[in-house]
Amino acid sequence: MKSAFVFPGQGSQSVGMLAGLATEYSLVRETFQQASDALGYDLWKLTQEGPEEQLNQTDRTQPVMLTAGVAVWRVWQSMSDLKPAYFAGHSLGEYTALVAADAIDFVDAVKLVEKRGQFMQQAVPAGEGAMAAILGLDDDLVRALCAEASAQGIVEAVNFNSPGQVVIAGSSPAVKQAIALATEKGAKRALQLPVSVPSHCELMKPAAEQLAAELDKIDLRMPSTPVIHNASVTAAKDISELKALLAQQLHSPVRWVETIQWLANQSVDTVVESGPGKVLAGLNKRIDKTLNALPVFDPVTLEKLQQAVGEG
């Protein structure tokens, strides 16, 4: 068995997440307490009680999702000797992967992604940017309709999540135009997403510059286990490339399909999603049906993973 651990990004958060796991494993609450101490507010209370609008605010969501992914990873580490061959993360999840790979200290990462969220929010005033999911069209057609809609402003294909599932981002008028074009061209669904920031498109370049300056202030190390980056579908060769890829990620597409295909080509047969929900596990199975795609977020899924690796 050769495994990779992957970490979800924004969109997998929900009020009450990880409650079951926290009941059985004190490490979950301890991890959230560590993050709360670093940020100055009660992160666990926010995840358990909401309000949902606050949990979905990008500068809150990012620390929450990073902390949740690290908490699940720590629980798994506390009970298993299984060491993954690779790590990867979807968008924000890349930072969680770097924490798991000992490339960045957890507290540094929590503070960094809070700032990342603030920079992203500041780059595009609320209401001016948008994202939408386009289902049932091939990638090239989505790129073409973005090019056509760009007469209305910036719009780009930004998340290649699974075959036939692409997310677009840009200025609100251009995204609305692209949605209309996608519907015309026979998309199964084309719907705007409830997000306040148009991630991974050109509009994020100012945020990327601010992020690059922050990355220079913190202690980054080369990962102990290779982390496959969204922007390049490779592991960084040195620290300067690692920093460059993290900054570039903000305005570059998330190449998730290629990432999972790359892992499969390295003979990875089991991809474990560490964090709340099972969004990535679903995508991973659609990308490569031969993969054992397992989410871990509660005692039941944890037990399933133990059985899958012969430790249950």
Side-chain angles (χ1 to χ4, degrees), residues 3 5 14 47-48 61 96 98 100 103 114-115 124 149 156 169 198 207 247 265 274 284 292 299:
S3 69
F5 266 66
S14 61
T47 63
Q48 298 309 300
T61 311
T96 323
L98 289 166
E114 180 185 49
K115 284 181 178 160
V124 181
E156 299 166 23
N265 287 338
S274 172
N284 299 346
N292 195 10

Side-chain angles (χ1 to χ4, degrees), residues 43-63:
L43 216 59
W44 182 250
K45 187 171 190 280
L46 175 62
T47 63
Q48 298 309 300
E49 298 173 20
E52 197 174 7
E53 307 78 63
Q54 208 173 344
L55 181 62
N56 291 341
Q57 213 175 288
T58 190
D59 60 335
R60 297 289 169 107
T61 311
Q62 297 201 27

Side-chain angles (χ1 to χ4, degrees), residues 4-8 86-90 93 97 256 259-260 263 271-275 280-281 284 294:
F5 266 66
V6 299
F7 300 91
Y86 300 99
F87 289 113
H90 189 286
W256 194 250
T259 299
I260 297 303
L263 291 171
V271 179
V272 181
E273 176 180 7
S274 172
L280 295 184
N284 299 346
L294 299 166

Side-chain angles (χ1 to χ4, degrees), residues 256-270:
W256 194 250
V257 173
E258 290 172 82
T259 299
I260 297 303
Q261 288 169 341
W262 187 93
L263 291 171
N265 287 338
Q266 312 311 307
S267 306
V268 167
D269 51 29
T270 302

Side-chain angles (χ1 to χ4, degrees), residues 164-181:
Q165 191 194 115
V166 180
V167 174
I168 62 172
S171 63
S172 289
V175 169
K176 285 188 171 68
Q177 177 66 12
I179 289 172
L181 289 169

Side-chain angles (χ1 to χ4, degrees), residues 22 24-32 71 74-78:
E24 292 198 22
Y25 298 94
S26 59
L27 257 175
V28 175
R29 291 293 300 270
E30 287 163 22
T31 302
F32 271 84
R74 285 177 173 177
V75 168
W76 176 248
Q77 270 195 307
S78 73

Side-chain angles (χ1 to χ4, degrees), residues 177-231:
Q177 177 66 12
I179 289 172
L181 289 169
T183 306
E184 255 175 53
K185 292 182 195 309
K188 282 183 195 159
R189 290 182 80 191
L191 66 161
Q192 194 162 325
L193 299 173
V195 295
S196 55
V197 169
S199 305
H200 302 293
C201 75
E202 199 184 312
L203 295 172
M204 287 294 113
K205 281 189 173 170
E209 284 169 25
Q210 290 175 288
L211 182 67
E214 288 300 321
L215 286 164
D216 280 336
K217 296 177 192 171
I218 61 171
D219 176 30
L220 272 176
R221 303 171 292 277
M222 285 305 287
S224 56
T225 300
V227 173
I228 308 308
H229 293 275
N230 291 178

